[in-house]
Amino acid sequence: MTPTLLISQLPACLHPLNASPMTRHLNGVFFALVLILCACGSSAQNIESQMPSESELRTYVNQRWLYGNSSEMLKALHYRNYQIPVSGIQLSVKRTFTPARNAKVVEDLKAYGARHGAVPITPTQAQQQFELWGDCLVKAYQSDLSSDQLQSLRSIFGVVHFFPRLGGEVEAWSFEAFQRTFNADGKSIASTNSAESNDLDEEIRGKIYTAVANPVNDIYLAQFVNLGQIGQVKNELLIKTRNFPAIASRLGIDPQRWAVIERYAMSEVAGKEMIIYRRCDSSQTYVSPATRSWSTGAFAVMAQYFNENLISLSAD
């Protein structure tokens, strides 16, 4: 209710035009309090209006973490459950498969896994999993992020649809970094590139990589390296991230939008989102039995598949 409306509804004896000096003084105090309350109410409404609604959060997490829809999410799960193990096999045999051979081994591993109980989820099951993960993410954002952090998400609502594409670009980087490390034979590949100029500060480049890469995929691939190689892999990834500005331009990300992504990557909320995502990705409550069976089964049969096909996989 506005102060003008309040005045119009006052009894005649309290109206400013009819009031005694004492009453006018009390009215002044009263209206001062009204103005303060109105200002506070307006401020609270402004803050509330800046907070993303549940539906906005759902749209955001779907784009940020779940590839936009269940169909694209299912493709990403196929990548995780088959391509990452095949990348691990290549690291183990120190071979780089041609695209055709890579595709053949992926299909062979799929068929092998299906015969041993690792059955991919159906599109209907993928839609169910998509909704489950979305529920988990939204609830976790609402409970784990502060009001300021939730409001700050608005700054990247206009660029979040680029994240799955940026993430797709860097998926190959991890494998290349691991592969070069495995084949380095103790020589530091990074040192040979030290003279090359970097387009971005190292810390910023590392933060951007972390923000756009799928953390669970990196964790899965990291199972194939030992602790002594982790530092070298990181150096290789930092070298690859020199290409970020060029990739951003190719994806239609103009400098203004790229600056938004940079600021977001350096923020505290980006790190908190990673923790939330990893927790939901492995949640006993929000991962369906079919999804869990497929994922664990695919990785469980990989070692057996590798042992049975070691000779052919190692051949040039």
Side-chain angles (χ1 to χ4, degrees):
M1 182 176 294
T2 65
T4 302
L5 185 58
L6 280 169
I7 292 173
S8 68
Q9 293 182 354
L10 285 172
C13 65
L14 293 180
H15 196 282
L17 295 178
N18 303 325
S20 66
M22 178 61 71
T23 302
R24 284 199 296 271
H25 173 73
L26 293 175
N27 283 348
V29 175
F30 171 73
F31 286 120
L33 290 173
V34 169
L35 289 172
I36 292 172
L37 289 173
C38 288
C40 291
S42 175
S43 176
Q45 288 176 350
N46 287 337
I47 292 174
E48 185 175 350
S49 67
Q50 293 170 9
M51 295 283 288
S53 66
E54 186 167 326
S55 63
E56 288 176 320
L57 272 180
R58 187 58 179 257
T59 298
Y60 172 79
V61 300
N62 286 351
Q63 292 178 324
R64 175 73 176 91
W65 297 113
L66 304 179
Y67 303 89
N69 58 63
S70 62
S71 178
E72 292 301 312
M73 184 200 75
L74 183 56
K75 291 179 185 178
L77 289 177
H78 273 275
Y79 180 94
R80 178 189 297 179
N81 291 338
Y82 299 115
Q83 182 56 64
I84 290 180
V86 170
S87 295
I89 289 171
Q90 293 177 70
L91 295 177
S92 298
V93 299
K94 292 194 174 183
R95 294 285 186 274
T96 301
F97 298 160
T98 65
R101 189 181 185 195
N102 179 86
K104 173 66 172 62
V105 176
V106 167
E107 291 304 314
D108 196 33
L109 179 58
K110 285 183 181 179
Y112 185 92
R115 292 195 300 270
H116 291 78
V119 180
I121 58 177
T122 66
T124 299
Q125 290 171 326
Q127 180 62 40
Q128 294 169 343
Q129 183 59 71
F130 182 81
E131 293 170 0
L132 280 172
W133 269 329
D135 289 343
C136 181
L137 288 164
V138 169
K139 290 177 181 177
Y141 272 54
Q142 292 174 327
S143 63
D144 294 4
L145 298 183
S146 68
S147 297
D148 288 343
Q149 290 168 340
L150 284 171
Q151 290 176 50
S152 74
L153 288 179
R154 285 195 175 279
S155 68
I156 60 169
F157 277 8
V159 299
V160 69
H161 62 283
F162 289 113
F163 276 64
R165 283 188 281 171
L166 282 168
E169 292 282 346
V170 306
E171 288 287 3
W173 292 3
S174 292
F175 174 57
E176 292 173 10
F178 280 81
Q179 187 180 51
R180 289 178 62 131
T181 299
F182 269 59
N183 295 332
D185 297 325
K187 181 181 178 181
S188 174
I189 300 293
S191 64
T192 64
N193 293 275
S194 59
E196 298 183 22
S197 62
N198 294 327
D199 296 319
L200 296 170
D201 176 83
E202 181 176 301
E203 181 184 7
I204 295 177
R205 289 185 294 127
K207 291 282 190 179
I208 295 174
Y209 175 88
T210 301
V212 303
N214 185 306
V216 177
N217 288 359
D218 275 3
I219 290 171
Y220 279 175
L221 191 56
Q223 295 178 85
F224 298 97
V225 303
N226 58 51
L227 291 177
Q229 295 169 313
I230 293 296
Q232 180 60 42
V233 171
K234 181 181 178 181
N235 289 339
E236 291 292 343
L237 286 173
L238 285 173
I239 291 170
K240 292 294 294 181
T241 58
R242 285 199 316 272
N243 299 323
F244 264 138
I247 288 173
S249 178
R250 176 158 51 81
L251 293 178
I253 306 175
D254 58 36
Q256 184 176 3
R257 288 172 173 171
W258 183 247
V260 171
I261 293 174
E262 282 189 22
R263 287 195 298 271
Y264 161 78
M266 297 297 291
S267 71
E268 179 186 35
V269 70
K272 288 198 171 185
E273 283 188 275
M274 291 286 172
I275 296 172
I276 290 172
Y277 171 71
R278 287 196 296 266
R279 191 168 68 233
C280 286
D281 186 88
S282 60
S283 168
Q284 294 295 310
T285 302
Y286 291 96
V287 178
S288 71
T291 302
R292 186 180 302 111
S293 176
W294 176 31
S295 181
T296 57
F299 274 82
V301 301
M302 184 193 65
Q304 186 175 345
Y305 172 84
F306 176 76
N307 290 333
E308 292 182 11
N309 297 277
L310 178 59
I311 295 176
S312 63
L313 292 169
S314 302
D316 291 326

